[in-house]
Structure formats: structure tokens, C-alpha cells
DNA sequence: CGCTAAATAGACCGACTTGTCTATCCGGTG
DNA sequence: CACCGGATAGACAAGTCGGTCTATTTAGCG
């Protein structure tokens, strides 16, 4: 037996929301792609926003796991930070890449559903927290500021990579991160 | 006599689109706020996207003028670059701030209308071009890379400032720009 | 087999969207 | 005053959206 309707719905919604954003994907398309009846969606989720909450949570968890794996595979905090930027290149190299899904989510969900905005905030805070921890392990005196700088480089370079259709902004951001790491050690 | 319908429509659309984004503002709201009849909109613009094109073009021009004014008022290219980041603080301090309007535009218009995506691309390229010129004036050997780094810091910090609801990311980005300027002079 | 409970397809609803059409009104000009 | 072109309000069309409901089929199980 194949995976449950809930799993198929969550996975399909996660994929479509990443590819085109929350508001540009309707439930008709989701249930068609997930091969699930309309009522099966509403039997498993109270609303589209509840489904979105589950889908984006799964995406967030996957991203954080990938970041943690990259950190674990790296030799020291500085290398780990650069390895995280290498992940961004992977993300942006996918054909369907359209910028960070959580930026789009925050821009879109802000006014309607506080839960979705909180999820986007939490995702960014989680990444920033990892940067901060690594900066602290690298012996930085002000790890929070460095973490904010690295997060801005991450978010901005992913955004610019989408707008330009090229990964050059991410490479540049990675080298900026190297400079910042060398600066105040 | 007050300003023309075209001017009122463009100004109103520019304001609303900045506040809430292209797709979250309908023409009904625009014509109501602009105090213009429905048909007056369609007599002056072929479609909502044509109005959006005019509105976002005006916003882009205003932003570029503000950047140029900040550059002109600065003492040297390094100071000019930092002055541009001070502009970001002003932008993000407005109560209605919801991140860079052109990032939202690019994310949203990408699939529907190539003209709007090109406008967003052009806006980012214009800012990047100014960073590049300043970097060159500062005697940098690789002004393009520095320009990309500064643009990523700009876009990322504006985005993070919106998501966090605080201007701290911009201050951090500004100090990162200072570091980058000191680094490879 | 027969029963039950769940999953299904699809009609349907109300709200909302952009865009068109029509009928009216207002202001400037001869 | 009479006229006329442009602006007006608002009905309307055609489509999409999220969500509900019903009638039917399917699947599990004693």
C-alpha cells in the first residue's frame, strides 16, 4: 500500500509551494497531483492554511537537517559556515528554484495567518541560531552580529540568484562570508 | 484642479503595491483610493499589469533618485556606500514596510508577465551598478564581486528586517559592508 | 457472504477577481 | 441656452478560489 493521503498531501503541497509559492497553488492542483479526493484533504486538514502549515514545517525541518548534516561533516566552525553557503548553491541550482520559500511565505502570509508568519520567522531564527552557535565556537566576541550578517548574505544571495537566474550572487556571498570570518577572529 | 487621473492612479497603485504587494491589492481598492471611476482606469491603462508597470517604474525611479542623492551628498565612495545602507534603515523604519517591493514583485510576477520581472531585474541591476561604480571609484580590483556582496547584504537585510520586525539586520549589514570595504582596498 | 466505515468523484456555494458595457451626468465651448 | 465629449457609477460577464455536501464506490473484516 502506498503512503497515506496525509503524507501524499503534505509532500505534494511542500513541493508545489516551494516551486510556485503558497498563493499561486490552489487546492484543486494539490489534490490532483497528490491523487486524493477533495474531501480527503478536508478530512485530514481543517483548511488550506493548516495543510500549508504542515507542508512548510516539513520543508523547514528538511532544510535544517541538511544544514546540520553539513555542519557535522565539516572540520571546524569556519568550514561549517562556508559549507552552509555551499548548500545554497545546491538549492539555487535546481531548475524550479524561485528564491527562499520562507521569504515568499512571510511576504504573503503576514496579514492573513499569524501561524504561517511565525513559522517563517522560526525558520529564519533557526538558521540564524546555527550561524550564531558556529560563530561562538569560532571564538567570536559578537556572534549575534556575525550571525545576522551571514543570514543577510544567505537570504540576499538566494534572492538575487533567483532574480538574476544565476548562482554568481551566492559565490560572491560565500567569499564575503570568508572575509567576515577572517576579519574579527 | 487636482492632478490627473493617470497620476492619481499611478501614485495610489505605487503606494498600495509597496504596502501589500501586487497581488494582494485589487483594482477595486485602487480606484476607490484614487477616487477614480473604473473605466477611467481602463481608458488610461490597458490592464492592471500595465498600471503596475507604471507604478513600479515610478517607485524604482524614486528609489534610484534617493540613492543618487545620498551618493552625491557623501564624501567619497566608501562613505556613499554606507550612506546607501542608511537609506535602508529609513525604508525599513516606515510602519508599512514589508520588505523590498521588487523582491515581492519578482517572486510574484515571474510566471505571468515578463515585463514586470524585467522591471524587477532592472531595478536590482541598477542598484548593483551603482555599488559597482562606487567600488571602482574606491579603487577595488574586483568591483563586480563587491557589488554583488553589497547587493546581497542590502536585499537580505531588508528582508530580514521585515521578517523580524526590527532594523537590527540592517545595522549588522552596514557594519559588514564596512568590513568588506576595509578588507580588500 | 454481508455489513460497516472510509474514501471517492463531482456538483455546488458564496465570495472574490479582472475586465466590459451601458446609461447618466457634468463641464467647457459656441 | 444647447450641445457634446469625457468622466462617472454601477450592473454585469466570466473565471478562480476555498470550502461544503451528497451520493456512490471501495475496502476491511467477522
Amino acid at each position: 500500500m502506498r503512503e497515506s493521503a496525509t503524507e501524499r498531501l503534505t509532500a505534494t503541497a511542500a513541493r508545489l509551494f516551494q516551486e510556485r509559492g503558497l498563493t499561486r497553488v490552489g487546492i484543486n492542483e494539490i489534490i490532483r497531483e497528490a491523487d486524493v479526493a477533495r474531501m480527503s484533504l478536508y478530512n485530514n486538514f481543517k483548511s488550506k492554511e493548516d495543510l500549508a502549515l504542515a507542508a512548510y514545517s516539513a520543508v523547514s525541518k528538511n532544510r535544517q537537517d541538511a544544514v546540520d548534516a553539513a555542519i557535522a561533516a565539516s572540520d571546524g566552525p569556519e568550514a561549517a559556515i562556508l559549507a552552509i553557503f555551499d548548500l545554497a548553491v545546491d538549492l539555487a541550482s535546481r531548475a524550479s528554484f524561485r528564491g527562499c520559500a520562507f521569504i515568499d511565505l512571510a511576504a504573503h502570509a503576514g496579514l492573513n495567518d499569524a501561524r504561517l508568519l511565525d513559522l517563517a520567522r522560526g525558520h529564519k531564527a533557526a538558521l540564524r541560531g546555527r550561524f550564531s552557535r558556529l560563530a561562538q565556537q569560532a571564538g567570536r566576541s559578537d556572534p549575534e552580529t556575525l550571525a545576522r550578517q551571514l543570514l543577510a548574505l544567505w537570504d540576499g544571495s538566494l534572492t538575487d540568484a533567483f532574480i538574476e537566474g544565476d548562482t554568481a550572487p551566492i559565490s560572491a556571498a560565500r567569499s564575503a562570508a570568508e572575509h567576515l570570518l577572517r576579519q574579527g577572529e
Side-chain angles (χ1 to χ4, degrees), chain A:
Chain A
M1 160 183 157
R2 62 178 179 176
E3 50 199 349
S4 75
T6 299
E7 290 166 337
R8 264 177 296 145
L9 282 168
T10 307
T12 303
R15 177 172 57 82
L16 293 177
F17 288 159
Q18 282 186 84
E19 287 176 5
R20 306 216 311 279
L22 173 60
T23 57
R24 285 174 292 288
V25 179
I27 57 169
N28 295 313
E29 184 175 1
I30 294 174
I31 62 176
R32 180 168 18 100
E33 296 266 321
D35 196 26
V36 154
R38 196 178 199 70
M39 279 311 295
S40 297
L41 191 166
Y42 287 100
N43 284 334
N44 289 282
F45 299 93
K46 215 185 68 184
S47 66
K48 182 191 180 184
E49 287 187 349
D50 275 46
L51 170 61
L53 210 58
Y56 277 104
S57 293
V59 173
S60 179
K61 186 179 179 312
N62 282 346
R63 294 264 183 96
Q64 290 178 42
D65 289 348
V67 167
D68 288 338
I71 293 174
S74 297
D75 185 19
E78 290 93 347
I81 288 172
L82 297 179
I84 293 176
F85 278 90
D86 292 333
L87 276 183
V89 176
D90 295 342
L91 262 181
S93 298
R94 305 206 294 227
S96 62
F97 174 70
R98 287 183 56 80
C100 175
F102 295 91
I103 294 175
D104 185 85
L105 177 63
H108 216 301
L111 303 172
N112 306 331
D113 193 327
R115 295 175 302 163
L116 288 171
L117 183 56
D118 285 344
L119 198 149
R121 258 198 277 261
H123 181 79
K124 290 302 170 197
L127 182 55
R128 185 158 44 88
R130 280 161 174 79
F131 279 139
S132 176
R133 183 165 52 83
L134 292 169
Q136 197 170 11
Q137 288 171 2
R140 306 286 300 215
S141 59
D142 189 354
E144 285 302 326
T145 295
L146 179 58
R148 282 190 195 282
Q149 295 167 342
L150 293 171
L151 184 65
L153 283 169
W154 168 278
D155 283 333
S157 65
L158 277 175
T159 298
D160 294 340
F162 162 59
I163 293 181
E164 292 183 32
D166 195 292
T167 57
I170 302 177
S171 305
R174 196 197 122 112
S175 84
E178 281 187 291
H179 283 303
L180 293 176
L181 285 171
R182 271 204 295 270
Q183 187 86 19
E185 58 190 353

